[in-house]
Amino acid sequence: MSDSAENRGTGPDALRTDLRALTSSTLADGDRLPSERELATRYEVNRLTVRRAIDALVAEGLVVRRQGAGSFVSRATRTRSLESSFFSAEVRARGHRPGSASVSVSTVAADARLSAVLSVPPSTPLAAVMRLRTIDDVPTAIDHAWIPAHLVPNLNLGAEESLFETLCTRYHLVVEKIDETVSASVLEPRSARMLRSVSMMPALFITKVMRGTSGDPLAYCETLLRGDKYTYRNTVVRKGV
């Protein structure tokens, strides 16, 4: 720890300030951060406080975790890849465990809205997937997905399985592009009960259209996330940089 960091004091605020200084200037790209135990002792905080402070830096792309090795500075500018834009991969990248408290798969007929989004005729059979997504076993998101049934015959999905990975590996679908929108929302009473929250709690509503190499839609997803449990972050870079 640098002399300047040693003089900042103790507590959560000092911890966050010093970690940001370490990752932005004091340490070199690729250097290892002090361990959670060392930081907790140095700043007189518990390890959960340290973990959350590091989680925030992981989410910003300033730190990467390596299992069994620790946390390391990462200053390379990053944009989200197709893989990392999905719930499971993003939650793992933040150092947490994704899962599903419930999963249901059924077949439905495309209504006018889904027909338009997926560019299929009305009444086309669709595989409909509904999942109650969790982060470290805490209900965090309600996720719905619709895929033309002929693309995913006999679709089933386990609680720990990623839908994106299943489409790519089991059904050999090539997702070339994702059109994504993010908007503000609130939890209606039923959604609040499912997420063990309260009605009118701020939420994020994210939609995704997965497209194949021809540009045709392969799947459409809607995800409602608790605003107090999930923060959406992205990196925008100038073209050519």
Side-chain angles (χ1 to χ4, degrees):
M1 198 78 67
S2 68
D3 292 338
S4 60
E6 289 288 354
N7 294 329
R8 290 185 186 277
T10 60
D13 289 341
L15 168 67
R16 288 189 288 268
T17 298
D18 287 355
L19 280 177
R20 189 162 292 279
L22 285 172
T23 56
S24 62
S25 59
T26 307
L27 295 179
D29 189 25
D31 281 355
R32 183 182 182 277
L33 292 178
S35 70
E36 289 183 3
R37 184 188 300 274
E38 292 172 315
L39 290 169
T41 300
R42 161 68 184 85
Y43 291 94
E44 299 177 8
V45 297
N46 60 48
R47 292 181 67 173
L48 179 59
T49 297
V50 174
R51 192 170 301 123
R52 286 175 174 169
I54 295 175
D55 284 348
L57 298 174
V58 171
E60 292 181 44
L62 298 174
V63 170
V64 294
R65 281 193 173 91
R66 297 174 189 163
Q67 188 170 5
S71 300
F72 297 81
V73 176
S74 176
R75 293 208 189 97
T77 300
R78 298 173 184 271
T79 55
R80 298 165 78 218
S81 66
L82 283 176
E83 293 79 2
S84 67
S85 69
F86 285 89
F87 184 89
S88 294
E90 194 164 352
V91 169
R92 290 190 194 105
R94 298 184 187 200
H96 296 280
R97 187 179 72 259
S100 297
S102 64
V103 180
S104 67
V105 181
S106 59
T107 301
V108 300
D111 59 16
R113 181 178 72 95
L114 293 173
S115 170
V117 172
L118 289 168
S119 300
V120 296
S123 299
T124 295
L126 304 176
V129 181
M130 196 288 289
R131 294 177 292 171
L132 180 60
R133 305 308 310 271
T134 60
I135 297 178
D136 297 333
D137 298 322
V138 177
T140 304
I142 300 170
D143 184 80
H144 292 87
W146 296 269
I147 311 113
H150 71 276
L151 296 178
V152 287
N154 304 311
L155 174 65
N156 60 75
L157 204 62
E160 305 299 323
E161 289 185 285
S162 160
L163 176 61
F164 175 78
E165 292 169 4
T166 297
L167 296 180
C168 294
T169 59
R170 190 185 308 168
Y171 294 101
H172 308 292
L173 298 179
V174 178
V175 179
E176 186 72 21
K177 174 185 175 183
I178 298 171
D179 295 326
E180 182 179 65
T181 64
V182 182
S183 57
S185 186
V186 295
L187 299 181
E188 300 295 340
R190 182 173 181 274
S191 298
R193 286 193 298 272
M194 293 177 67
L195 293 172
R196 300 179 193 171
S197 186
V198 295
S199 297
M200 305 308 292
M201 169 73 74
L204 288 174
F205 183 65
I206 301 176
T207 68
K208 291 183 172 77
V209 179
M210 300 186 222
R211 299 185 182 276
T213 53
S214 66
D216 293 334
L218 299 175
Y220 173 62
C221 308
E222 293 181 347
T223 306
L224 183 69
L225 299 118
R226 283 179 56 167
D228 63 329
K229 294 293 184 183
Y230 189 90
T231 301
Y232 183 88
R233 293 186 176 92
N234 207 353
T235 299
V236 179
V237 296
R238 183 162 52 89
K239 187 175 181 180
V241 174

